[in-house]
Amino acid sequence: VDDSHAYDADVIDLLARADVAPFKVDITANNPAGLARLKQTGYLTIPLIVVYAADGREVMKASFYTGQDLVTAITEARPRN
């Protein structure tokens, strides 16, 4: 999550949940694994956010997004009980 959304309270709450696993790939340094992961998305542009459901389904992929976009995507990606 880029800095412009890092302080959105709803996004913070969702990312802190046990059923959400956020990770950030930094390709500004020598990071072959991160670059390989970025290539898997089919995009080589940054910033890029990709939200996956637990079953691996891609829910969102975007370079430009709002806090509400993230809330919607993370909520959709979370497992349903």
Side-chain angles (χ1 to χ4, degrees):
V1 176
D2 69 31
D3 290 340
S4 65
H5 301 296
Y7 304 106
D8 183 303
D10 293 332
V11 173
I12 291 168
D13 290 346
L14 283 170
L15 293 178
R17 293 184 55 94
D19 60 353
V20 175
F23 66 93
K24 182 176 182 177
V25 175
D26 181 0
I27 62 166
T28 61
N30 183 17
N31 184 349
L35 186 56
R37 183 67 178 173
L38 187 61
K39 285 181 180 178
Q40 286 177 348
T41 70
Y43 283 58
L44 290 177
T45 59
I46 54 172
L48 175 69
I49 189 157
V50 183
V51 177
Y52 296 100
D55 63 6
R57 176 177 45 92
E58 185 179 291
V59 176
M60 174 184 166
K61 180 169 26 182
S63 293
F64 301 100
Y65 50 91
T66 66
Q68 186 56 52
D69 294 334
L70 289 173
V71 168
T72 300
I74 293 167
T75 301
E76 181 182 335
R78 289 182 50 230
R80 307 226 192 299
N81 294 331

